[in-house]
Amino acid sequence: MISKNYTVLLLFFIVLFCNAQESIKYKSNSYSATPNWEFICNSYVLSGAINIQIASTETGGILKLAVKTTDENFIISGNVYVDLKDVSFILCTDKNYREYTNGQAITYYNFTVAEMKRLKTTNIQDIRFNISGKKNTFSNQVGNFTAINKSTYFSTIYHNTNKIFETAAAISLL
């Protein structure tokens, strides 16, 4: 009887843990993903940030970029450069897989298995991306932007928490 109670309790914690993990829905499949990182993008005036998430797949990985826009006519398009701390970069080509939900333009890019191995060992320094669309008065910004791996705008020397997102550690847990 006692072992049955422990089994039920263990099953409850496993279900709770599995549901607490982040996931990305991509082409009607769900993949386990990193937490949602909000990289700072000083030159993008509308929100000043871009949301980034990485998922692991059977064929490598997925990069999800989401940015607030004024309407659905503005998209993240073109090649994306993922700059790493070891002064190398990963080029992600646009595969035209996009969506627009909750006021955010979302675009997905693919990583190869080799690129995912690099991401597991080296933190992301910044991500360079492009927003395009038909610009008019009081509309969204368009152009090239750089999102920097920083968790806060300002800090002091007495600020003891980590100022960057530890992307390599989170990706290696996938």
Side-chain angles (χ1 to χ4, degrees):
M1 183 68 175
I2 293 175
S3 65
K4 190 175 187 180
N5 289 339
Y6 285 129
T7 306
V8 170
L9 188 61
L10 180 63
L11 183 64
F12 174 74
F13 283 120
I14 289 172
V15 169
L16 184 67
F17 178 72
C18 290
N19 288 335
Q21 290 181 341
E22 298 282 335
S23 65
I24 289 179
K25 197 138 179 86
Y26 178 72
K27 293 185 179 178
S28 70
N29 292 326
S30 186
Y31 300 102
S32 63
T34 62
N36 191 21
W37 299 309
E38 191 172 76
F39 281 24
I40 293 174
C41 186
N42 291 328
S43 58
Y44 189 60
V45 178
L46 186 63
S47 66
I50 184 169
N51 294 315
I52 297 164
Q53 211 171 10
I54 296 175
S56 180
T57 66
E58 305 83 32
T59 59
I62 301 167
L63 170 65
K64 176 184 173 186
L65 299 177
V67 67
K68 291 182 183 174
T69 59
T70 55
D71 64 55
E72 60 192 27
N73 296 321
F74 294 96
I75 58 172
I76 299 171
S77 65
N79 294 338
V80 167
Y81 295 90
V82 179
D83 297 327
L84 303 176
K85 285 284 187 184
D86 65 357
V87 195
S88 66
F89 69 92
I90 297 172
L91 173 65
C92 299
T93 56
D94 193 358
K95 304 289 188 209
N96 291 321
Y97 190 71
R98 301 180 174 84
E99 61 186 9
Y100 184 84
T101 52
N102 299 330
Q104 288 190 329
I106 302 169
T107 303
Y108 298 90
Y109 293 90
N110 294 323
F111 289 125
T112 64
V113 174
E115 290 168 342
M116 284 299 286
K117 284 182 183 176
R118 285 175 58 198
L119 288 169
K120 288 179 180 181
T121 59
T122 307
N123 280 331
I124 296 172
Q125 181 172 329
D126 56 56
I127 295 180
R128 294 178 279 158
F129 64 98
N130 180 33
I131 297 177
S132 61
K134 187 173 181 176
K135 187 176 178 181
N136 56 30
T137 308
F138 301 113
S139 70
N140 207 73
Q141 268 181 292
V142 295
N144 298 312
F145 300 96
T146 301
I148 303 167
N149 182 359
K150 287 176 81 175
S151 58
T152 59
Y153 276 104
F154 306 105
S155 65
T156 65
I157 59 172
Y158 304 108
H159 192 79
N160 292 332
T161 59
N162 202 353
K163 296 172 183 73
I164 65 165
F165 297 104
E166 294 294 333
T167 59
I171 294 168
S172 65
L173 292 175
L174 295 176

